[in-house]
Amino acid sequence: MLLEVKDLRVEFPTRRGVLTALNGVSFSIAPGEVLGVVGESGAGKSMTGAAIIGLLEPPGRIAGGEIRLEGERIDNLPYEKMRRIRGKRIGAIFQDPLTTLNPLYTVGRQLVETMQAHLPLSDAEARQRAIGWLEQVGIPAAAQRIDAYPHQFSGGMRQRVVIALALCAEPQLIVADEPTTALDVSIQAQIIALLKRLAREQRTAIMLVTHDMGVIAETADRVAVMYAGRIIEIGPVRQVVRHAQHPYTAGLMASIPPLDRRVERLAQIDGAMPRLNAIPPGCPFSPRCPEVFERCRVARPELMPAGATDAACWLHDQPGAPA
Amino acid sequence: MVAFVISRLLQALPVLLAVALISFALFTFVGDPVAAMLSQDASAADRTALVHLLGLDQPWYVQFGKFVGNAVQGEFGLSYRLSRPVSTLIAERAPATLELAFCAAAMTLCIGVPLGIFTGIYKDSWVSRLLLTISLVGVSLPIFVLGMLLILVFAVNLGWLPSFGRGETVQIGWWSTGLLTASGLKALILPAITLAVFQLTLITRLVRAEMLEVLRTDYIKFARARGLTNRSINFGHALKNTLVPVITIAGLQLGGIIAFAIVTETVFQWPGMGFLFIQSVGAADIPVMAAYLLLIALVFVVINLAVDLLYYLVDPRLRAKR
């Protein structure tokens, strides 16, 4: 396994007590694999990504569990050691390309400094490679555009630059946090296709965080569904989309409007995700779950095999449960 | 670029004319120079003759035109108090004020900016908290109190530094400098500190606030995610992005230091323009006051132009718009 996350717990100490933002999150990513992570806002998707690259916003902190990259623990590394891993072994792509590039430096300079932070390259070599990367991500006239500033690029082009920046030190894993959310719909597909192609060519694994099921279905090999700081279902993307085992995932899939027939009402899940300081005992989804029963309200289900996926749901732990 | 400079200079013209009008109005509204110049037993005929000699019987716009025409040539007439050309008086005093101002400004930037960066990066350390508390004292302490305290401690009690004057000066052309003699440098220390403390605390707080702002931005987070070193993030990416507001304030401060060194110069009997101005106010010496006002307006115009040019260098987005 390239990345293994085991029982990860992230806490935010506040004046009114400690909030647990992530609780018992476990998953792994194989080399070259694309893992999609979906869920509502506040479910902990981005938080998981931030914990992996070691950039949780203070006062957030990893309070338990471990993160391993190729078997080596990286969740407790000192800042400088983790810095050498960021960019070099784990790259990152953020949501809004308009704000992720430093407005005062040319894109070339930002690429060069990133490569030189991790690879022993001379200025000329780094510049040459930077032009190569801009070509790779599909920036026309890269040799001229390298000396342009971010504001001289459109949003879609800037996200291409961001992708080049994330890939330029050739990391094994990229944490892409909502990489297309801020883009025009027409450009989203291009960016996803680009990301997918480059990842395949470089054999880079991707953790693709998004709330867009369409992007996941198109891109990911496996998908993890998060709810209230936990993974409640994880499995191969086809299985999760077509044969969701957790009632929440099923609701999520049902809420995607079908294109091939008219529907009177869009399906929706009643209620809202609980706030972090008010997560019910037992299954966090139980107050909204259409199939809730007594056990759900008192005991918390862990991920368990359910059909072709793993789901955290007591429905799958009963004698004669639907498989 | 050249067009930009020219357009800025043209914009500055109305400002300078407005200040010139105010300076000119001083002659009419503050005191009566004729009464001051005539002896007590002068006759009405003497008075009329003097008024005519000074051109004060002409319409105001003609007088104003002459005033501006002379001012452009650096000609501000004679000081009522010292009976010497105002331009000579100011040229004698300017080096003292400018040396003091630039020393204070250099101290402000060399200490204030690093302190601001430090307290911005380590915002929760006790050293930062201590520095900020001290800076609050610096902001609230009146300049003259600080000056007198410094004199009391370093000049009177310890006897290390002189309490007034500029020490020995060396003449280089028309510029008299105190920077080349030991006594000149010693004399500079206390007034420069006095002048710098307020500005320094302001710059520290400004840089800190801007750093805190910038360090929260996405591009700084992304720079961290790219694995750049802390040094390059803090001093390259973050600091450069704080510069535009810092340059603005630092420019205004420099103008302020030059223009309003009056209190410090008075406390230390520093032979600069501010001290000259305060003496002139006491003696209703209007030509000196008028010239001083215009000079200060010019200083601010020049500094603002320099600030605009610096923006241009720092921020590529501004370059693109022109």
Side-chain angles (χ1 to χ4, degrees):
Chain A
M1 279 293 131
L2 174 64
L3 182 84
E4 279 174 288
V5 176
K6 222 160 103 190
D7 217 12
L8 181 66
R9 182 185 174 88
V10 169
E11 289 179 350
F12 278 77
T14 68
R15 267 183 214 140
R16 270 180 276 162
V18 176
L19 293 181
T20 306
L22 292 182
N23 198 349
V25 169
S26 302
F27 64 93
S28 58
I29 301 179
E33 181 185 40
V34 179
L35 174 74
V37 181
V38 282
E40 294 171 59
S41 310
K45 312 174 300 252
S46 300
M47 189 84 60
T48 310
I52 290 169
I53 55 177
L55 289 177
L56 281 172
E57 290 279 320
R61 57 185 163 83
I62 295 178
E66 52 185 51
I67 302 170
R68 286 175 188 273
L69 185 67
E70 293 187 310
E72 177 205 358
R73 263 188 91 162
I74 58 167
D75 56 288
N76 53 3
L77 289 181
Y79 185 89
E80 177 60 20
K81 281 201 169 152
M82 193 59 205
R83 175 189 77 71
R84 288 170 202 275
I85 289 177
R86 281 197 288 267
K88 173 90 182 93
R89 296 177 65 193
I90 306 180
I93 297 173
F94 290 171
Q95 178 170 345
D96 188 353
L98 301 186
T99 58
T100 40
L101 296 170
N102 186 338
L104 303 188
Y105 289 147
T106 62
V107 299
R109 170 163 179 179
Q110 299 188 47
L111 276 162
V112 165
E113 69 181 355
T114 309
M115 284 185 274
Q116 287 186 332
H118 300 295
L119 309 169
L121 293 174
S122 73
D123 290 353
E125 285 169 337
R127 189 181 161 83
Q128 213 46 50
R129 280 206 196 185
I131 295 173
W133 274 110
L134 291 179
E135 282 166 355
Q136 286 265 315
V137 297
I139 303 233
Q144 283 98 59
R145 298 292 270 159
I146 185 168
D147 292 317
Y149 289 93
H151 71 270
Q152 293 165 310
F153 291 87
S154 68
M157 284 295 157
R158 283 194 224 184
Q159 195 65 309
R160 288 170 189 265
V161 172
V162 170
I163 290 173
L165 279 165
L167 285 169
C168 67
E170 294 168 3
Q172 298 150 292
L173 172 68
I174 288 199
V175 176
D177 188 357
E178 307 266 6
T180 57
T181 307
L183 300 175
D184 279 357
V185 179
S186 56
I187 295 168
Q188 289 183 0
Q190 292 175 17
I191 294 294
I192 285 294
L194 173 73
L195 195 58
K196 221 175 140 178
R197 174 173 66 79
L198 288 175
R200 201 171 48 237
E201 285 171 13
Q202 313 283 333
R203 296 213 22 85
T204 306
I206 302 179
M207 176 176 155
L208 181 62
V209 174
T210 180
H211 59 259
D212 186 339
M213 274 312 297
V215 167
I216 296 276
E218 221 173 282
T219 319
D221 302 313
R222 285 191 309 138
V223 57
V225 182
M226 292 193 73
Y227 187 84
R230 292 176 181 77
I231 291 181
I232 51 121
E233 179 157 9
I234 184 166
V237 69
R238 260 167 187 282
Q239 306 303 323
V240 173
V241 172
R242 301 239 176 104
H243 311 286
Q245 296 299 319
H246 194 286
Y248 174 69
T249 320
L252 207 59
M253 298 306 152
S255 66
I256 303 170
L259 286 175
D260 49 354
R261 63 196 141 86
R262 275 185 70 86
V263 283
E264 290 302 311
R265 282 179 64 99
L266 290 176
Q268 61 173 29
I269 308 172
D270 289 330
M273 199 169 68
R275 300 164 66 90
L276 288 178
N277 55 7
I279 293 176
C283 174
F285 187 59
S286 58
R288 301 168 75 188
C289 185
E291 301 180 57
V292 62
F293 56 101
E294 198 42 47
R295 192 176 180 189
C296 306
R297 300 190 206 275
V298 287
R300 178 160 297 166
E302 300 298 327
L303 282 174
M304 57 191 87
T309 74
D310 287 339
C313 180
W314 289 129
L315 286 174
H316 302 285
D317 191 40
Q318 300 177 86
Chain B
M1 182 74 183
V2 177
F4 168 70
V5 173
I6 291 172
S7 83
R8 269 304 149 110
L9 286 175
L10 287 179
Q11 285 170 23
L13 272 185
V15 175
L16 287 175
L17 273 180
V19 177
L21 192 61
I22 295 171
S23 312
F24 173 72
L26 280 179
F27 287 93
T28 319
F29 297 118
V30 183
D32 180 3
V34 179
M37 288 166 87
L38 287 171
S39 58
Q40 279 188 336
D41 47 343
S43 67
D46 289 340
R47 186 182 164 83
T48 318
L50 184 62
V51 164
H52 185 70
L53 183 71
L54 294 174
L56 296 178
D57 51 353
Q58 286 169 312
W60 72 270
Y61 47 86
V62 176
Q63 293 186 42
F64 181 58
K66 274 191 190 161
F67 173 76
V68 171
N70 287 337
V72 169
Q73 297 166 43
E75 185 58 61
F76 290 95
L78 292 180
S79 154
Y80 296 162
R81 183 169 61 97
L82 301 167
S83 301
R84 294 175 56 205
V86 173
S87 47
T88 316
L89 281 176
I90 287 189
E92 278 174 12
R93 301 297 195 99
T97 293
L98 291 179
E99 282 182 3
L100 177 60
F102 281 106
C103 282
M107 262 166 89
T108 302
L109 292 181
C110 295
I111 303 174
V113 173
L115 281 185
I117 297 173
F118 178 87
T119 53
I121 296 172
Y122 304 102
K123 61 178 160 117
D124 293 324
S125 89
W126 65 270
V127 182
S128 297
R129 281 161 209 247
L130 184 70
L131 284 170
L132 286 174
T133 311
I134 296 173
S135 82
L136 204 59
V137 177
V139 169
S140 24
L141 201 61
I143 286 184
F144 66 90
V145 174
L146 179 68
M148 290 192 293
L149 280 177
L150 288 176
I151 290 178
L152 185 67
V153 174
F154 292 100
V156 179
N157 289 347
L158 296 173
W160 291 348
L161 297 166
S163 62
F164 69 92
R166 227 187 141 194
E168 280 172 64
T169 57
V170 177
Q171 205 74 22
I172 303 174
W174 61 273
W175 186 278
S176 68
T177 178
L179 298 179
L180 297 177
T181 62
S183 79
L185 286 174
K186 271 170 102 173
L188 188 59
I189 296 174
L190 289 185
I193 291 177
T194 308
L195 201 49
V197 161
F198 177 77
Q199 320 286 347
L200 192 151
T201 50
L202 209 64
I203 281 284
T204 303
R205 291 181 153 259
L206 177 72
V207 172
R208 171 177 181 272
E210 290 296 325
M211 279 297 276
L212 289 178
E213 189 75 24
V214 170
L215 287 174
R216 273 200 298 266
T217 59
D218 282 352
Y219 55 81
I220 294 298
K221 273 182 228 157
F222 189 53
R224 289 196 199 290
R226 286 189 276 144
L228 303 186
T229 59
N230 267 339
R231 216 182 80 205
S232 120
I233 291 172
N234 291 333
F235 294 94
H237 291 256
L239 182 60
K240 198 168 176 195
N241 273 286
T242 66
L243 280 184
V244 164
V246 172
I247 290 172
T248 313
I249 298 296
L252 289 176
Q253 280 189 320
L254 178 62
I257 290 178
I258 295 173
F260 310 120
I262 296 173
V263 175
T264 309
E265 291 190 359
T266 307
V267 170
F268 288 93
Q269 301 285 294
W270 187 263
M273 291 187 293
F275 194 36
L276 174 70
F277 180 73
I278 212 80
Q279 287 171 326
S280 306
V281 169
D285 193 346
I286 293 162
V288 177
M289 288 156 66
Y292 183 76
L293 275 182
L294 262 177
L295 185 73
I296 293 308
L298 185 67
V299 165
F300 271 99
V301 164
V302 169
I303 287 176
N304 269 329
L305 180 67
V307 164
D308 283 346
L309 288 177
L310 283 174
Y311 285 173
Y312 211 80
L313 286 180
V314 169
D315 197 330
R317 286 167 294 186
L318 299 176
R319 264 173 263 164
K321 278 181 196 138
R322 300 222 163 77

